[in-house]
Amino acid sequence: VDPRRHVPRTDVVLADPRLVAAREVLGAGLVKQAVAHAQELARSGMTSPAGVADAAAASLPPTAASLTPVINATGVVVHTNLGRAPLSDAAQAAVAAAAGYTDVEFDLTSGRRARRGAGALGALARAVPAAGAVHVVNSNAAPIGSAERELALLDDIAAVARDASICGLGQTAVTAAVSAVSLGLVSGTGTGGHGKEPA
Amino acid sequence: MSTVFLETPRRLVDVSIDGTIVRVPEGATLLQACRQQGIDTPALCYLENLTPVNVCRVCVVEVEGSRTLVPACSRKAEPGMTVHTDSERVRTSRKMVLEFLASSADMALAAPEVRRWMERYGTEPGRCGPAAPPHAAGERDAARPGEYHMTGGAAADTVAQPVKHDNDSYIRDYSRCILCYKCVEACGEDAQNTFAIAVAGRGFDARISTEFDVGLPDSACVYCGNCIGVCPTGALMFKSEHDMRQAGTWDESRQTVTTTICPYCGVGCNLELHVQDNRIVKVTSPLDHDVGNGHLCVKGRFGFEFVQRRARES
Protein backbone atom coordinates (compact mmCIF):
# COMPACT_ATOMS: atom_id res chain seq x y z
CA VAL A 1 0.00 0.00 0.00
CA ASP A 2 1.21 3.52 -0.83
CA PRO A 3 2.35 5.03 2.51
CA ARG A 4 0.54 8.22 1.55
CA ARG A 5 -2.70 6.29 2.10
CA HIS A 6 -1.86 6.33 5.83
CA VAL A 7 -1.79 10.13 6.11
CA PRO A 8 -4.70 10.81 8.50
CA ARG A 9 -7.70 12.85 7.44
CA THR A 10 -7.80 16.51 8.50
CA ASP A 11 -10.83 16.12 10.78
CA VAL A 12 -9.15 13.17 12.54
CA VAL A 13 -6.00 15.22 13.22
CA LEU A 14 -8.04 18.23 14.31
CA ALA A 15 -9.77 16.04 16.92
CA ASP A 16 -6.43 15.56 18.72
CA PRO A 17 -6.91 17.01 22.27
CA ARG A 18 -3.79 19.22 21.94
CA LEU A 19 -5.10 20.74 18.72
CA VAL A 20 -8.61 21.16 20.11
CA ALA A 21 -7.08 23.13 23.00
CA ALA A 22 -4.88 25.12 20.62
CA ARG A 23 -7.89 26.06 18.51
CA GLU A 24 -9.44 27.79 21.53
CA VAL A 25 -6.35 30.01 21.85
CA LEU A 26 -5.07 30.42 18.31
CA GLY A 27 -8.21 30.16 16.21
CA ALA A 28 -9.29 27.52 13.72
CA GLY A 29 -7.51 29.00 10.71
CA LEU A 30 -4.02 28.86 12.13
CA VAL A 31 -4.45 25.32 13.53
CA LYS A 32 -5.88 24.01 10.29
CA GLN A 33 -3.01 25.58 8.40
CA ALA A 34 -0.51 23.77 10.68
CA VAL A 35 -2.32 20.46 10.15
CA ALA A 36 -2.33 20.89 6.38
CA HIS A 37 1.38 21.65 6.46
CA ALA A 38 2.10 18.55 8.57
CA GLN A 39 0.03 16.41 6.20
CA GLU A 40 1.94 17.81 3.26
CA LEU A 41 5.26 16.91 4.91
CA ALA A 42 4.00 13.36 5.52
CA ARG A 43 2.77 13.02 1.93
CA SER A 44 6.14 14.08 0.60
CA GLY A 45 7.80 11.43 2.79
CA MET A 46 9.70 13.86 5.03
CA THR A 47 7.85 12.64 8.16
CA SER A 48 5.93 9.51 8.99
CA PRO A 49 2.12 9.54 8.54
CA ALA A 50 1.68 8.48 12.15
CA GLY A 51 3.39 11.62 13.42
CA VAL A 52 1.15 14.19 11.68
CA ALA A 53 -0.70 15.26 14.83
CA ASP A 54 2.57 15.53 16.79
CA ALA A 55 4.21 17.57 14.03
CA ALA A 56 1.19 19.87 13.77
CA ALA A 57 1.07 20.39 17.55
CA ALA A 58 4.81 21.05 17.70
CA SER A 59 4.68 23.65 14.94
CA LEU A 60 2.04 25.79 16.65
CA PRO A 61 3.13 28.98 18.43
CA PRO A 62 2.52 29.08 22.19
CA THR A 63 0.37 32.25 22.10
CA ALA A 64 -1.82 34.07 19.60
CA ALA A 65 0.64 36.96 19.50
CA SER A 66 3.18 37.00 16.72
CA LEU A 67 5.90 37.96 19.24
CA THR A 68 8.23 35.38 20.78
CA PRO A 69 9.56 36.06 24.30
CA VAL A 70 13.38 36.32 24.29
CA ILE A 71 16.13 36.85 26.87
CA ASN A 72 17.90 40.18 26.50
CA ALA A 73 21.59 39.19 26.76
CA THR A 74 22.75 42.01 24.51
CA GLY A 75 24.03 44.22 27.35
CA VAL A 76 21.77 47.02 26.10
CA VAL A 77 19.02 47.43 28.64
CA VAL A 78 16.67 49.61 26.57
CA HIS A 79 16.97 47.83 23.24
CA THR A 80 14.61 49.08 20.53
CA ASN A 81 14.83 45.84 18.53
CA LEU A 82 13.75 43.88 21.61
CA GLY A 83 10.75 46.03 22.43
CA ARG A 84 12.66 48.67 24.42
CA ALA A 85 11.97 48.47 28.18
CA PRO A 86 9.80 45.72 29.69
CA LEU A 87 6.56 46.99 31.24
CA SER A 88 6.80 47.58 34.98
CA ASP A 89 4.60 45.57 37.32
CA ALA A 90 2.42 48.65 37.78
CA ALA A 91 2.07 49.12 34.03
CA GLN A 92 1.24 45.42 33.56
CA ALA A 93 -1.40 45.69 36.26
CA ALA A 94 -2.87 48.77 34.51
CA VAL A 95 -2.98 46.94 31.18
CA ALA A 96 -4.65 43.97 32.83
CA ALA A 97 -7.23 46.28 34.43
CA ALA A 98 -7.95 48.00 31.10
CA ALA A 99 -8.38 44.65 29.34
CA GLY A 100 -11.92 44.19 30.64
CA TYR A 101 -14.94 46.49 30.44
CA THR A 102 -13.99 50.06 31.36
CA ASP A 103 -15.61 53.50 31.36
CA VAL A 104 -13.61 54.57 28.31
CA GLU A 105 -16.54 56.53 26.87
CA PHE A 106 -18.86 56.59 29.83
CA ASP A 107 -19.42 58.95 32.76
CA LEU A 108 -19.91 56.89 35.93
CA THR A 109 -21.29 59.89 37.83
CA SER A 110 -24.07 60.79 35.41
CA GLY A 111 -24.47 57.27 34.01
CA ARG A 112 -24.43 58.62 30.47
CA ARG A 113 -22.23 58.38 27.42
CA ALA A 114 -19.15 60.65 27.63
CA ARG A 115 -16.25 61.81 25.54
CA ARG A 116 -13.20 59.59 25.28
CA GLY A 117 -10.01 60.95 26.83
CA ALA A 118 -11.43 62.36 30.09
CA GLY A 119 -8.43 60.89 31.95
CA ALA A 120 -5.94 62.59 29.65
CA LEU A 121 -7.80 65.91 29.91
CA GLY A 122 -7.84 65.65 33.72
CA ALA A 123 -4.13 64.86 33.90
CA LEU A 124 -3.35 67.74 31.53
CA ALA A 125 -5.49 70.16 33.56
CA ARG A 126 -3.72 69.13 36.78
CA ALA A 127 -0.30 69.56 35.12
CA VAL A 128 -1.04 73.12 33.93
CA PRO A 129 -3.30 74.56 36.63
CA ALA A 130 -2.97 78.09 35.20
CA ALA A 131 -4.51 77.10 31.86
CA GLY A 132 -8.10 78.22 31.34
CA ALA A 133 -9.00 75.13 29.36
CA VAL A 134 -7.32 72.03 28.00
CA HIS A 135 -7.89 70.17 24.78
CA VAL A 136 -6.61 66.84 23.53
CA VAL A 137 -6.40 66.12 19.83
CA ASN A 138 -5.94 62.67 18.39
CA SER A 139 -3.10 63.31 15.98
CA ASN A 140 -2.31 59.69 15.24
CA ALA A 141 -3.28 60.66 11.75
CA ALA A 142 -0.02 62.51 11.26
CA PRO A 143 -0.14 62.16 7.44
CA ILE A 144 -2.94 64.68 7.21
CA GLY A 145 -1.87 66.78 10.18
CA SER A 146 -4.55 66.54 12.85
CA ALA A 147 -8.04 65.33 13.61
CA GLU A 148 -9.29 68.84 12.81
CA ARG A 149 -7.83 68.67 9.32
CA GLU A 150 -9.23 65.18 8.82
CA LEU A 151 -12.68 66.30 9.89
CA ALA A 152 -12.54 69.32 7.59
CA LEU A 153 -11.58 67.01 4.73
CA LEU A 154 -14.39 64.62 5.64
CA ASP A 155 -16.86 67.54 5.64
CA ASP A 156 -15.74 68.59 2.18
CA ILE A 157 -15.90 65.00 0.89
CA ALA A 158 -19.42 64.71 2.30
CA ALA A 159 -20.45 67.97 0.64
CA VAL A 160 -19.13 67.04 -2.80
CA ALA A 161 -20.50 63.50 -2.61
CA ARG A 162 -23.96 64.78 -1.64
CA ASP A 163 -24.01 67.58 -4.22
CA ALA A 164 -22.12 66.30 -7.22
CA SER A 165 -22.50 62.49 -7.34
CA ILE A 166 -24.23 61.13 -10.39
CA CYS A 167 -26.76 58.90 -8.63
CA GLY A 168 -28.48 58.49 -5.30
CA LEU A 169 -26.05 55.80 -4.16
CA GLY A 170 -23.16 58.24 -4.31
CA GLN A 171 -25.23 61.09 -2.91
CA THR A 172 -26.04 59.08 0.22
CA ALA A 173 -22.81 57.06 0.49
CA VAL A 174 -21.24 59.33 3.09
CA THR A 175 -24.33 59.70 5.25
CA ALA A 176 -23.35 56.90 7.63
CA ALA A 177 -19.86 58.33 8.16
CA VAL A 178 -21.20 61.85 8.69
CA SER A 179 -23.78 60.59 11.21
CA ALA A 180 -21.11 58.64 13.09
CA VAL A 181 -18.94 61.74 13.35
CA SER A 182 -21.73 64.08 14.40
CA LEU A 183 -22.91 61.59 17.05
CA GLY A 184 -19.39 61.32 18.40
CA LEU A 185 -19.21 57.60 17.66
CA VAL A 186 -15.74 58.02 16.17
CA SER A 187 -13.08 58.39 18.83
CA GLY A 188 -12.25 61.97 19.68
CA THR A 189 -14.51 63.44 17.03
CA GLY A 190 -17.79 64.07 18.82
CA THR A 191 -19.16 67.51 18.13
CA GLY A 192 -22.04 67.04 20.55
CA GLY A 193 -25.45 68.63 20.18
CA HIS A 194 -26.28 66.99 16.85
CA GLY A 195 -28.85 64.25 16.68
CA LYS A 196 -29.71 62.02 19.59
CA GLU A 197 -27.26 60.26 21.80
CA PRO A 198 -27.36 56.48 21.85
CA ALA A 199 -29.17 55.28 24.96
CA MET B 1 -35.00 73.85 -59.17
CA SER B 2 -32.65 73.17 -56.33
CA THR B 3 -33.96 72.77 -52.82
CA VAL B 4 -32.25 74.36 -49.87
CA PHE B 5 -32.96 72.73 -46.52
CA LEU B 6 -33.11 75.15 -43.64
CA GLU B 7 -33.09 74.08 -40.03
CA THR B 8 -36.39 74.58 -38.28
CA PRO B 9 -36.09 77.86 -36.40
CA ARG B 10 -35.38 77.18 -32.74
CA ARG B 11 -37.27 78.82 -29.94
CA LEU B 12 -35.22 80.98 -27.61
CA VAL B 13 -35.15 80.27 -23.90
CA ASP B 14 -34.45 82.76 -21.12
CA VAL B 15 -32.48 81.54 -18.10
CA SER B 16 -31.06 83.55 -15.23
CA ILE B 17 -27.35 82.90 -14.69
CA ASP B 18 -25.76 84.64 -11.71
CA GLY B 19 -28.48 87.28 -11.84
CA THR B 20 -28.23 88.01 -15.56
CA ILE B 21 -30.94 86.92 -17.98
CA VAL B 22 -29.31 84.90 -20.76
CA ARG B 23 -31.16 84.04 -23.98
CA VAL B 24 -30.09 80.78 -25.62
CA PRO B 25 -31.64 78.58 -28.32
CA GLU B 26 -33.88 75.82 -27.03
CA GLY B 27 -31.84 72.67 -26.47
CA ALA B 28 -28.67 74.54 -25.56
CA THR B 29 -26.91 73.32 -22.43
CA LEU B 30 -26.18 75.39 -19.36
CA LEU B 31 -22.48 75.12 -20.21
CA GLN B 32 -23.12 76.72 -23.60
CA ALA B 33 -25.18 79.40 -21.88
CA CYS B 34 -22.39 80.03 -19.36
CA ARG B 35 -19.74 80.21 -22.05
CA GLN B 36 -21.95 82.52 -24.11
CA GLN B 37 -21.94 84.80 -21.07
CA GLY B 38 -18.17 84.55 -20.82
CA ILE B 39 -18.37 82.69 -17.49
CA ASP B 40 -15.25 80.55 -17.25
CA THR B 41 -16.73 77.14 -16.43
CA PRO B 42 -14.33 74.25 -15.79
CA ALA B 43 -14.95 71.01 -17.68
CA LEU B 44 -12.68 67.98 -17.99
CA CYS B 45 -14.79 65.22 -19.52
CA TYR B 46 -16.66 67.54 -21.86
CA LEU B 47 -15.55 68.29 -25.41
CA GLU B 48 -17.56 69.94 -28.18
CA ASN B 49 -17.20 66.95 -30.49
CA LEU B 50 -18.19 64.24 -27.97
CA THR B 51 -21.46 63.28 -26.28
CA PRO B 52 -21.46 64.50 -22.66
CA VAL B 53 -20.87 61.62 -20.23
CA ASN B 54 -21.22 63.66 -17.02
CA VAL B 55 -18.43 61.85 -15.20
CA CYS B 56 -15.94 64.48 -14.11
CA ARG B 57 -18.52 66.55 -12.19
CA VAL B 58 -16.35 69.66 -12.31
CA CYS B 59 -18.80 71.73 -14.38
CA VAL B 60 -21.57 71.42 -11.78
CA VAL B 61 -23.76 74.46 -11.18
CA GLU B 62 -26.53 75.16 -8.70
CA VAL B 63 -30.04 75.30 -10.13
CA GLU B 64 -32.66 76.72 -7.78
CA GLY B 65 -35.16 74.02 -6.84
CA SER B 66 -32.78 71.16 -7.62
CA ARG B 67 -31.81 68.93 -4.69
CA THR B 68 -28.29 68.40 -5.97
CA LEU B 69 -25.95 70.34 -8.20
CA VAL B 70 -26.35 69.61 -11.91
CA PRO B 71 -23.69 69.07 -14.58
CA ALA B 72 -23.77 72.14 -16.85
CA CYS B 73 -22.33 70.19 -19.79
CA SER B 74 -25.46 68.12 -20.30
CA ARG B 75 -28.29 69.91 -18.50
CA LYS B 76 -30.43 71.71 -21.02
CA ALA B 77 -31.49 75.26 -20.38
CA GLU B 78 -35.17 75.44 -19.48
CA PRO B 79 -37.31 78.56 -19.40
CA GLY B 80 -37.24 80.27 -16.03
CA MET B 81 -34.25 78.40 -14.63
CA THR B 82 -32.24 80.26 -12.03
CA VAL B 83 -28.62 79.17 -12.10
CA HIS B 84 -25.74 80.04 -9.77
CA THR B 85 -22.25 79.26 -10.99
CA ASP B 86 -20.21 80.59 -8.10
CA SER B 87 -22.12 79.71 -4.94
CA GLU B 88 -20.44 78.14 -1.91
CA ARG B 89 -21.78 74.70 -2.86
CA VAL B 90 -20.51 75.00 -6.41
CA ARG B 91 -17.08 76.21 -5.31
CA THR B 92 -16.74 73.40 -2.73
CA SER B 93 -17.69 70.69 -5.23
CA ARG B 94 -15.42 72.00 -7.96
CA LYS B 95 -12.55 72.35 -5.51
CA MET B 96 -13.01 68.79 -4.23
CA VAL B 97 -13.32 67.25 -7.68
CA LEU B 98 -10.09 68.90 -8.77
CA GLU B 99 -8.47 68.04 -5.44
CA PHE B 100 -9.33 64.34 -5.68
CA LEU B 101 -8.15 64.14 -9.28
CA ALA B 102 -4.91 65.98 -8.60
CA SER B 103 -4.18 63.89 -5.51
CA SER B 104 -4.54 60.61 -7.37
CA ALA B 105 -3.32 61.42 -10.89
CA ASP B 106 -0.44 63.47 -12.27
CA MET B 107 -1.99 66.65 -13.67
CA ALA B 108 1.33 68.30 -14.56
CA LEU B 109 0.68 68.08 -18.31
CA ALA B 110 -2.97 69.10 -18.16
CA ALA B 111 -4.03 72.16 -20.12
CA PRO B 112 -3.09 75.52 -18.56
CA GLU B 113 -6.73 76.28 -17.81
CA VAL B 114 -6.88 73.21 -15.52
CA ARG B 115 -4.13 74.72 -13.40
CA ARG B 116 -5.96 78.04 -13.48
CA TRP B 117 -9.14 76.38 -12.17
CA MET B 118 -7.20 74.58 -9.44
CA GLU B 119 -5.77 77.88 -8.32
CA ARG B 120 -9.13 79.65 -8.46
CA TYR B 121 -10.88 77.07 -6.29
CA GLY B 122 -7.98 76.76 -3.82
CA THR B 123 -7.33 73.08 -4.49
CA GLU B 124 -4.95 71.44 -1.99
CA PRO B 125 -4.06 68.01 -3.46
CA GLY B 126 -1.68 67.25 -0.57
CA ARG B 127 -4.57 67.39 1.90
CA CYS B 128 -5.34 63.69 1.48
CA GLY B 129 -1.90 62.77 2.83
CA PRO B 130 1.38 61.79 1.22
CA ALA B 131 1.17 59.74 -1.96
CA ALA B 132 1.51 55.97 -1.64
CA PRO B 133 4.37 54.36 -3.62
CA PRO B 134 3.63 53.93 -7.34
CA HIS B 135 2.04 50.72 -8.58
CA ALA B 136 4.16 48.16 -10.40
CA ALA B 137 3.58 47.66 -14.12
CA GLY B 138 0.37 45.70 -14.68
CA GLU B 139 -0.66 45.79 -11.02
CA ARG B 140 -3.70 48.00 -11.51
CA ASP B 141 -4.62 46.15 -14.70
CA ALA B 142 -4.81 42.89 -12.77
CA ALA B 143 -7.25 44.25 -10.15
CA ARG B 144 -10.57 42.48 -10.02
CA PRO B 145 -13.85 44.18 -9.13
CA GLY B 146 -14.47 44.25 -5.39
CA GLU B 147 -10.89 43.44 -4.46
CA TYR B 148 -9.57 46.95 -3.85
CA HIS B 149 -6.84 46.97 -1.21
CA MET B 150 -6.77 50.05 1.01
CA THR B 151 -3.42 51.73 1.54
CA GLY B 152 -4.08 51.78 5.29
CA GLY B 153 -4.81 55.48 5.75
CA ALA B 154 -1.18 56.55 6.17
CA ALA B 155 -0.81 57.39 2.50
CA ALA B 156 -3.14 58.39 -0.32
CA ASP B 157 -3.47 55.83 -3.10
CA THR B 158 -2.65 57.08 -6.58
CA VAL B 159 -2.83 55.73 -10.11
CA ALA B 160 0.95 56.14 -10.53
CA GLN B 161 2.42 53.36 -12.68
CA PRO B 162 5.00 52.94 -15.45
CA VAL B 163 4.27 54.29 -18.93
CA LYS B 164 2.97 51.70 -21.43
CA HIS B 165 5.11 51.54 -24.58
CA ASP B 166 3.84 48.89 -26.93
CA ASN B 167 3.78 50.48 -30.36
CA ASP B 168 5.61 53.08 -32.48
CA SER B 169 2.81 55.65 -32.64
CA TYR B 170 1.73 56.59 -29.16
CA ILE B 171 2.28 55.87 -25.49
CA ARG B 172 -0.20 55.42 -22.67
CA ASP B 173 0.79 57.00 -19.36
CA TYR B 174 -2.07 56.01 -17.08
CA SER B 175 -0.40 57.80 -14.14
CA ARG B 176 -2.03 60.86 -15.69
CA CYS B 177 -5.43 59.31 -16.39
CA ILE B 178 -8.41 60.94 -14.67
CA LEU B 179 -10.95 58.53 -16.24
CA CYS B 180 -12.79 61.25 -18.13
CA TYR B 181 -13.96 58.64 -20.67
CA LYS B 182 -13.13 60.92 -23.60
CA CYS B 183 -10.77 58.39 -25.21
CA VAL B 184 -13.39 55.67 -24.83
CA GLU B 185 -15.98 57.90 -26.46
CA ALA B 186 -13.66 58.88 -29.31
CA CYS B 187 -12.65 55.26 -29.89
CA GLY B 188 -16.29 54.22 -29.78
CA GLU B 189 -19.45 55.67 -31.14
CA ASP B 190 -18.55 59.36 -31.04
CA ALA B 191 -15.90 59.07 -33.71
CA GLN B 192 -14.04 55.96 -34.67
CA ASN B 193 -16.48 53.13 -33.92
CA THR B 194 -13.55 50.85 -33.19
CA PHE B 195 -14.31 50.12 -29.53
CA ALA B 196 -10.73 49.06 -28.76
CA ILE B 197 -10.82 50.48 -25.23
CA ALA B 198 -13.30 50.64 -22.39
CA VAL B 199 -13.38 51.31 -18.68
CA ALA B 200 -12.48 48.15 -16.76
CA GLY B 201 -12.79 47.58 -13.03
CA ARG B 202 -14.80 49.39 -10.37
CA GLY B 203 -14.16 52.15 -7.86
CA PHE B 204 -10.56 53.24 -7.46
CA ASP B 205 -9.44 50.22 -9.50
CA ALA B 206 -11.31 51.51 -12.57
CA ARG B 207 -8.98 52.08 -15.50
CA ILE B 208 -8.98 52.34 -19.27
CA SER B 209 -8.20 48.95 -20.76
CA THR B 210 -8.12 47.11 -24.04
CA GLU B 211 -10.05 43.85 -24.21
CA PHE B 212 -8.41 41.38 -21.79
CA ASP B 213 -5.68 44.00 -21.21
CA VAL B 214 -3.80 42.97 -24.35
CA GLY B 215 -1.19 45.33 -25.81
CA LEU B 216 -2.40 47.81 -28.43
CA PRO B 217 -0.97 45.86 -31.39
CA ASP B 218 -3.05 42.85 -30.36
CA SER B 219 -6.17 44.91 -29.69
CA ALA B 220 -8.78 46.31 -32.04
CA CYS B 221 -6.88 49.66 -32.11
CA VAL B 222 -6.52 51.15 -35.60
CA TYR B 223 -4.14 53.94 -34.48
CA CYS B 224 -6.40 56.79 -35.52
CA GLY B 225 -5.07 58.65 -32.48
CA ASN B 226 -8.44 60.29 -31.83
CA CYS B 227 -8.00 59.28 -28.19
CA ILE B 228 -4.80 61.34 -28.05
CA GLY B 229 -6.65 64.24 -29.60
CA VAL B 230 -9.22 64.33 -26.80
CA CYS B 231 -7.05 63.39 -23.78
CA PRO B 232 -7.05 66.35 -21.35
CA THR B 233 -4.07 65.37 -19.20
CA GLY B 234 -1.38 64.02 -21.52
CA ALA B 235 -2.01 60.41 -20.49
CA LEU B 236 -2.19 59.53 -24.19
CA MET B 237 0.58 61.14 -26.15
CA PHE B 238 2.36 60.92 -29.50
CA LYS B 239 5.49 58.80 -29.08
CA SER B 240 7.36 61.62 -30.82
CA GLU B 241 6.23 64.08 -28.14
CA HIS B 242 6.89 61.64 -25.31
CA ASP B 243 10.42 60.87 -26.54
CA MET B 244 11.20 64.57 -26.91
CA ARG B 245 9.87 65.31 -23.43
CA GLN B 246 12.01 62.50 -22.02
CA ALA B 247 15.06 63.89 -23.82
CA GLY B 248 14.21 67.39 -22.59
CA THR B 249 13.96 68.78 -26.12
CA TRP B 250 10.18 69.38 -26.22
CA ASP B 251 9.68 73.15 -26.31
CA GLU B 252 6.27 74.50 -27.30
CA SER B 253 7.61 78.06 -27.43
CA ARG B 254 9.76 77.01 -30.40
CA GLN B 255 6.90 75.31 -32.21
CA THR B 256 4.78 76.69 -35.00
CA VAL B 257 1.38 75.35 -35.97
CA THR B 258 0.49 75.18 -39.66
CA THR B 259 -3.04 74.38 -40.72
CA THR B 260 -3.33 72.40 -43.93
CA ILE B 261 -5.52 69.81 -45.59
CA CYS B 262 -4.69 66.13 -45.32
CA PRO B 263 -3.30 64.92 -48.68
CA TYR B 264 -4.20 61.26 -48.28
CA CYS B 265 -7.78 61.02 -49.50
CA GLY B 266 -10.58 63.16 -50.82
CA VAL B 267 -12.41 63.77 -47.55
CA GLY B 268 -10.43 66.91 -46.81
CA CYS B 269 -9.77 66.77 -43.08
CA ASN B 270 -7.95 69.76 -41.62
CA LEU B 271 -4.55 69.06 -40.13
CA GLU B 272 -2.60 71.23 -37.74
CA LEU B 273 1.08 70.39 -38.11
CA HIS B 274 3.07 71.20 -34.99
CA VAL B 275 6.62 71.87 -36.16
CA GLN B 276 9.71 72.25 -34.03
CA ASP B 277 13.19 72.73 -35.52
CA ASN B 278 11.80 72.11 -39.00
CA ARG B 279 10.38 68.69 -38.07
CA ILE B 280 6.74 67.77 -37.64
CA VAL B 281 6.41 66.64 -34.01
CA LYS B 282 2.68 66.03 -33.78
CA VAL B 283 -0.57 66.47 -35.67
CA THR B 284 -3.87 67.74 -34.33
CA SER B 285 -7.12 68.72 -35.99
CA PRO B 286 -9.37 71.71 -35.19
CA LEU B 287 -12.53 70.79 -33.28
CA ASP B 288 -14.58 73.42 -35.07
CA HIS B 289 -13.91 72.12 -38.57
CA ASP B 290 -16.97 70.67 -40.30
CA VAL B 291 -15.25 67.79 -42.06
CA GLY B 292 -13.56 65.91 -39.27
CA ASN B 293 -14.76 67.71 -36.13
CA GLY B 294 -11.26 67.26 -34.73
CA HIS B 295 -11.04 63.56 -35.56
CA LEU B 296 -8.55 62.02 -38.00
CA CYS B 297 -7.50 58.60 -39.22
CA VAL B 298 -4.13 56.89 -38.89
CA LYS B 299 -2.87 58.42 -42.14
CA GLY B 300 -3.67 61.98 -41.19
CA ARG B 301 -2.60 61.57 -37.57
CA PHE B 302 0.63 59.60 -37.97
CA GLY B 303 1.40 59.75 -41.71
CA PHE B 304 3.65 62.77 -41.11
CA GLU B 305 6.53 60.42 -40.47
CA PHE B 306 6.71 59.75 -44.23
CA VAL B 307 7.47 63.41 -44.85
CA GLN B 308 10.62 63.44 -42.85
CA ARG B 309 11.95 59.90 -42.69
CA ARG B 310 15.10 59.48 -44.80
CA ALA B 311 14.88 55.71 -45.19
CA ARG B 312 12.25 54.47 -47.63
CA GLU B 313 9.50 52.47 -45.99
CA SER B 314 9.19 49.11 -47.67
Side-chain angles (χ1 to χ4, degrees):
Chain A
V1 178
D2 189 325
R4 286 175 292 189
R5 290 262 173 217
H6 296 299
V7 175
R9 292 204 325 255
T10 307
D11 59 327
V12 172
V13 184
L14 283 173
D16 183 284
R18 287 167 297 172
L19 297 179
V20 172
R23 197 156 45 171
E24 294 294 317
V25 182
L26 303 173
L30 193 62
V31 174
K32 202 171 165 192
Q33 207 181 336
V35 170
H37 184 66
Q39 286 170 321
E40 205 47 54
L41 288 178
R43 276 188 208 109
S44 65
M46 311 240 314
T47 58
S48 84
V52 167
D54 293 337
S59 71
L60 287 170
T63 67
S66 61
L67 302 175
T68 306
V70 295
I71 293 167
N72 182 1
T74 60
V76 181
V77 177
V78 180
H79 196 301
T80 304
N81 301 157
L82 299 180
R84 299 184 69 81
L87 290 182
S88 67
D89 290 343
Q92 287 184 36
V95 170
Y101 291 118
T102 62
D103 61 343
V104 62
E105 280 185 9
F106 203 79
D107 186 345
L108 294 175
T109 331
S110 67
R112 292 178 63 79
R113 184 170 190 287
R115 291 282 304 277
R116 191 177 276 249
L121 287 171
L124 188 57
R126 286 192 296 278
V128 280
V134 291
H135 184 51
V136 176
V137 170
N138 173 9
S139 62
N140 285 345
I144 306 188
S146 66
E148 267 72 12
R149 279 182 67 85
E150 285 192 349
L151 288 174
L153 178 60
L154 194 61
D155 273 352
D156 281 351
I157 292 173
V160 66
R162 218 164 26 226
D163 272 347
S165 294
I166 292 184
C167 78
L169 293 178
Q171 287 153 12
T172 52
V174 286
T175 308
V178 170
S179 303
V181 170
S182 69
L183 289 172
L185 301 179
V186 183
S187 94
T189 59
T191 51
H194 294 301
K196 55 175 192 257
E197 296 215 317
Chain B
M1 190 184 87
S2 65
T3 317
V4 177
F5 289 100
L6 291 176
E7 271 188 66
T8 358
R10 287 206 284 174
R11 212 151 56 92
L12 294 175
V13 170
D14 283 344
V15 289
S16 156
I17 299 183
D18 295 340
T20 311
I21 301 295
V22 183
R23 180 162 290 186
V24 292
E26 192 175 34
T29 62
L30 292 179
L31 184 65
Q32 286 163 341
C34 287
R35 290 194 169 164
Q36 181 185 319
Q37 269 311 93
I39 299 170
D40 180 23
T41 306
L44 291 168
C45 72
Y46 172 82
L47 205 60
E48 288 80 345
N49 59 359
L50 301 173
T51 315
V53 285
N54 309 314
V55 293
C56 80
R57 318 304 290 177
V58 80
C59 70
V60 285
V61 294
E62 188 168 351
V63 173
E64 279 185 16
S66 172
R67 182 173 55 87
T68 59
L69 303 180
V70 302
C73 67
S74 64
R75 184 62 178 264
K76 303 257 192 298
E78 295 158 28
M81 252 184 182
T82 307
V83 180
H84 302 283
T85 70
D86 202 35
S87 67
E88 185 62 39
R89 285 171 75 189
V90 170
R91 281 201 304 274
T92 303
S93 284
R94 289 181 177 177
K95 166 182 192 273
M96 291 309 293
V97 166
L98 292 166
E99 194 166 299
F100 285 146
L101 292 176
S103 75
S104 59
D106 180 355
M107 305 275 272
L109 295 185
E113 63 259 27
V114 176
R115 264 163 279 155
R116 187 179 73 223
W117 297 327
M118 286 171 62
E119 207 163 289
R120 190 206 306 165
Y121 293 110
T123 307
E124 314 160 64
R127 197 152 71 113
C128 299
H135 294 273
E139 191 182 327
R140 279 182 55 79
D141 298 300
R144 290 176 170 278
E147 293 182 9
Y148 176 69
H149 298 290
M150 304 273 279
T151 53
D157 200 359
T158 70
V159 297
Q161 58 191 294
V163 177
K164 292 187 184 197
H165 298 270
D166 54 12
N167 66 87
D168 293 334
S169 300
Y170 68 104
I171 59 98
R172 294 177 291 155
D173 182 359
Y174 288 128
S175 298
R176 303 182 189 280
C177 179
I178 57 167
L179 283 175
C180 69
Y181 284 58
K182 277 177 177 167
C183 57
V184 176
E185 295 265 287
C187 188
E189 57 191 23
D190 274 342
Q192 194 61 30
N193 282 297
T194 290
F195 303 97
I197 48 174
V199 176
R202 290 287 178 273
F204 199 81
D205 284 336
R207 68 272 173 188
I208 305 296
S209 178
T210 54
E211 68 273 19
F212 303 112
D213 185 35
V214 296
L216 281 180
D218 295 321
S219 75
C221 177
V222 295
Y223 301 96
C224 64
N226 289 330
C227 52
I228 311 175
V230 297
C231 180
T233 57
L236 303 170
M237 188 182 281
F238 280 81
K239 191 165 187 309
S240 49
E241 175 176 350
H242 177 75
D243 290 347
M244 286 174 74
R245 284 185 185 275
Q246 292 301 100
T249 55
W250 182 261
D251 184 357
E252 276 173 25
S253 67
R254 274 159 54 207
Q255 290 173 11
T256 55
V257 179
T258 307
T259 306
T260 181
I261 310 266
C262 181
Y264 281 100
C265 79
V267 169
C269 299
N270 267 29
L271 300 182
E272 292 166 332
L273 306 178
H274 297 243
V275 177
Q276 181 179 332
D277 304 334
N278 217 23
R279 284 181 67 83
I280 302 169
V281 291
K282 76 169 174 184
V283 173
T284 55
S285 181
L287 293 183
D288 56 0
H289 192 253
D290 284 347
V291 174
N293 291 314
H295 302 304
L296 295 173
C297 76
V298 59
K299 290 173 282 185
R301 186 80 64 178
F302 294 111
F304 67 89
E305 286 289 351
F306 298 125
V307 178
Q308 51 203 19
R309 209 172 265 186
R310 299 296 296 271
R312 184 191 159 91
E313 298 283 332
S314 52

